Each structure stands twice: as structure tokens, then as C-alpha cells.
Amino acid sequence: MHGPASSGWLLVALCAVTGTYCLARMRSGAEGQRSAAGGEALMGFGMAAMAVPAAVFTPPSWAWPVYAAVFGAAGVHALWAARAGAHHLHHLVGAAAMVYMSLVMAGSPAHAHGRGGSGVPLLTGALLLYFAGYVLLTGVRLVPVAAVAGGGGPARWGDRPELARACRLSMGIAMVAMLLTL
């Protein structure tokens, strides 16, 4: 993504730590936690790779279509998983946003993003609205879980719902930041 290097590195760190925690959640005893955590880990690491500042590393031209294919496959998997639960639809939107960003990056010359003067494209604006709403809703939902989580003894890292929500919240914030720099 293009923008200041310091914010790019902060996004890389946030997304990599989130992806790492999601990998730890894959060891959870709950099947629902494990299946969702795999897709979220892929999303976290993919976002970290895309957020590396362009001044440091510009991916080769073939990398963007590969990103689009990987996240397209993740979107198909999320669509298939949505049969079991509607919460997978958010994964579908996230994967679609990653495909969209990959295609925009593939079709644009280096450092040209955000300088067109034509305003925010309609799809970018819709994704920004979705993820901003998601961030606000997830943040509100996070507060009550943290307040009542202390009742039943120590939970394993992968089984703590407030950490899973914080993970999703951080990826939502990162997605908003990435869409803004597109």
C-alpha cells in the first residue's frame, strides 16, 4: 500500500501479530474457533504483506494477480462456509476487499494511488462504509465480553472470545486504513 512508511510498518506489525494470534486460535478446543481462525490468519498475514511500504519493497507485477487468486479462493471457501453460519459472510466481504485491492494495485503504476483527483471510487467507498461500521459494531460488542469474562477460571488463549473479537477489530481497523491509502 502507498502512504507514509511509518504507518505502513505499523499496519504490517498489527496485521502480523493478529495473524500470529489467529494461528494460536487454531489450536482451540472449539471447532468453530479453529475454522474461523484459519481464514483470519490468512487475512492477517495477507494484509501484512500488502501493507509493506512501497518505498521499501515493491512486489513484482505477478504478485498482485497471485494475491487476487489466493483471496478469491478464500472468498469461495467463505461462501461455502456461510451455509453453516452467517458470520462467514464477513469473511467473504473481507476476501472480496482483498481481491479488489489486489486488482487495483495490479492495474496502477507504482505510487500513483490516491492522486487521481477523481474522488473515492464507488466500490472503495462502499467497502469503507462496511468496514467502518464493522469496526464500530465490533468495538461496542467487545466491551461487555471483557466485563464478564472473569467468571469461569483461566481460559486458554485460543478460547478467549474477547481476544478473538479484538483480533477481528484490529483487522477491521487495518482494512479501513488500507482502503484509505488505496
Side-chain angles (χ1 to χ4, degrees), residues 43 71 89-99 101 130-131 175:
M43 186 70 67
F71 287 105
L89 292 176
H90 171 69
H91 294 189
L92 176 62
V93 174
M98 293 294 283
V99 169
M101 288 190 293
Y130 172 81
F131 282 104
M175 187 65 79

Side-chain angles (χ1 to χ4, degrees), residues 42-148:
L42 173 68
M43 186 70 67
F45 289 126
M47 289 171 66
M50 286 180 77
V52 172
V56 175
F57 175 72
T58 301
S61 61
W62 56 263
W64 299 115
V66 169
Y67 282 142
V70 167
F71 287 105
V76 169
H77 181 267
L79 183 61
W80 184 259
R83 296 175 309 126
H87 66 280
H88 291 285
L89 292 176
H90 171 69
H91 294 189
L92 176 62
V93 174
M98 293 294 283
V99 169
Y100 170 67
M101 288 190 293
S102 298
L103 294 175
V104 168
M105 296 296 284
S108 297
H111 303 288
H113 302 291
R115 293 181 175 79
S118 61
V120 177
L122 185 61
L123 185 53
T124 304
L127 288 169
L128 276 168
L129 284 174
Y130 172 81
F131 282 104
Y134 179 80
V135 164
L136 293 173
L137 184 62
T138 303
V140 168
R141 287 182 177 168
L142 183 61
V143 174
V145 172
V148 296

